[in-house]
Amino acid sequence: MKQMPTFRDAEKISAYLDGQLPRAEMQRLAVRLQSDPQLAAVAEALRQARALLRQTPRRRAPRNFMLTPEMAGIKPPIPRPVPLMRFAAALAAFLLFVTLAVNTVGPLAAVSAPMAYGGM
């Protein structure tokens, strides 16, 4: 009893018509096409559909229909070390500020202090 052609059979027939099957598989499919009339009918329907599609005029798409990430509202993912780098940058800025403040105020405090006896 012959079984009905499956979707996988239709895919193989399509690849067969495109010449994309390996030689051994092409030969096996050719034998199946000769022995199975239902499979041969599927192959003929695919041949006719290919011929019909080749006869239709080719047209260009009026525009590109592909969405950009901005149009789709998708934000790129933030890399994982970014929060750590933000903290490190804030800490570095704070330490720079403290260092500048100490270096600016330090010499002023030394000038205003009274000099020790005998010191210059």
Side-chain angles (χ1 to χ4, degrees):
M1 180 176 187
K2 306 260 180 179
Q3 63 184 31
M4 295 289 296
T6 63
F7 181 74
R8 185 149 177 86
D9 290 335
E11 284 182 329
K12 281 187 180 182
I13 292 171
S14 180
Y16 173 78
L17 294 174
D18 290 338
Q20 295 178 345
L21 285 180
R23 179 168 293 196
E25 204 166 332
M26 277 182 122
Q27 290 172 349
R28 281 193 298 258
L29 188 60
V31 169
R32 277 188 67 197
L33 286 172
Q34 290 174 355
S35 64
D36 189 355
Q38 290 178 336
L39 201 60
V42 170
E44 185 57 33
L46 282 174
R47 275 191 195 102
Q48 289 176 357
R50 286 168 46 106
L52 184 64
L53 286 173
R54 286 194 175 119
Q55 291 175 359
T56 59
R58 293 183 181 225
R59 297 185 179 230
R60 282 186 65 133
R63 66 180 178 88
N64 186 0
F65 290 97
M66 184 175 257
L67 294 178
T68 63
E70 295 82 26
M71 292 167 70
I74 299 173
K75 294 181 183 176
I78 297 175
R80 289 186 177 183
V82 169
L84 179 64
M85 294 306 231
R86 285 181 184 163
F87 174 74
L91 181 64
F94 174 74
L95 291 176
L96 177 67
F97 176 77
V98 168
T99 303
L100 287 175
V102 168
N103 286 334
T104 305
V105 174
L108 294 177
V111 171
S112 64
M115 294 186 73
Y117 179 75
M120 293 192 119

